[in-house]
Amino acid sequence: MHHQVAVENYWKVECVGEDGKLKWVEEFSNRVVTEGLNTLLNNSAVTAFTRVVEWFVGLKAGVAGDAAGDTLASHAGWTESTPYAGNRPAWTENGVASGGAASNSAAKAAFTINATATVTGAFLASVNTGTAGLLYGVGDFTTARSVISGDTLNVQVDLTAVTV
């Protein structure tokens, strides 16, 4: 009997307006790109590679879609959206993974928006700025969403690995 492991990320992005009211919510799953799968294997207990210890959340703009071969440096179908000051916020894990899942639900990545923009999705990367790091996963909202100065995006990312 052969078993397979399915790896996926589940996202919940909440946009809160300057008045503190919830403007919209996007929930979606996304692809773990080949570079992310390789990183997952290289970070496992059975390999001797240097472990990636920090991850950061980024926002996506442009056309919908992603490809298994996307990397942080090369992703023809989309661009990074940066309608906020500073670097990508950290993905801060709640604690050790349990039940095949890890989450940042207790410390969601927060983006304080300072410009009008259209955001189409999100991604998880090993660096807080630039394209020299690793891309773990990237995914699309169900529809493009507008943000304006004063909004806050709170981003929860749940990483899962299950036997199928």
Side-chain angles (χ1 to χ4, degrees):
M1 180 182 296
H2 292 89
H3 296 281
Q4 297 177 342
V5 174
V7 179
E8 197 168 36
N9 302 332
Y10 296 95
W11 298 73
K12 182 176 183 180
V13 180
E14 299 172 327
C15 180
V16 178
E18 194 170 29
D19 60 2
K21 293 183 181 176
L22 184 65
K23 294 174 80 172
W24 52 262
V25 176
E26 277 287 338
E27 295 185 60
F28 59 99
S29 61
N30 80 279
R31 172 191 307 270
V32 177
V33 297
T34 302
E35 184 173 62
L37 295 172
N38 291 340
T39 301
L40 182 66
L41 292 171
N42 288 336
N43 284 331
S44 74
V46 295
T47 60
F49 292 92
T50 303
R51 185 172 184 266
V52 176
V53 295
E54 289 187 286
W55 292 98
F56 301 90
V57 177
L59 300 176
K60 181 181 172 199
V63 297
D66 53 69
D70 282 355
T71 67
L72 197 54
S74 176
H75 41 78
W78 56 274
T79 60
E80 183 169 4
S81 180
T82 56
Y84 58 92
N87 297 330
R88 297 176 195 128
W91 179 81
T92 305
E93 188 176 357
N94 293 346
V96 298
S98 176
S103 178
N104 72 330
S105 62
K108 297 173 185 170
F111 294 87
T112 302
I113 304 301
N114 65 4
T116 299
T118 300
V119 181
T120 61
F123 63 91
L124 198 60
S126 67
V127 292
N128 67 356
T129 188
T131 60
L134 301 168
L135 179 65
Y136 184 80
V138 58
D140 292 320
F141 293 169
T142 55
T143 186
R145 296 293 191 155
S146 295
V147 294
I148 61 172
S149 185
D151 286 348
T152 300
L153 293 185
N154 297 310
V155 181
Q156 176 179 329
V157 189
D158 300 325
L159 311 179
T160 64
V162 296
T163 303
V164 292

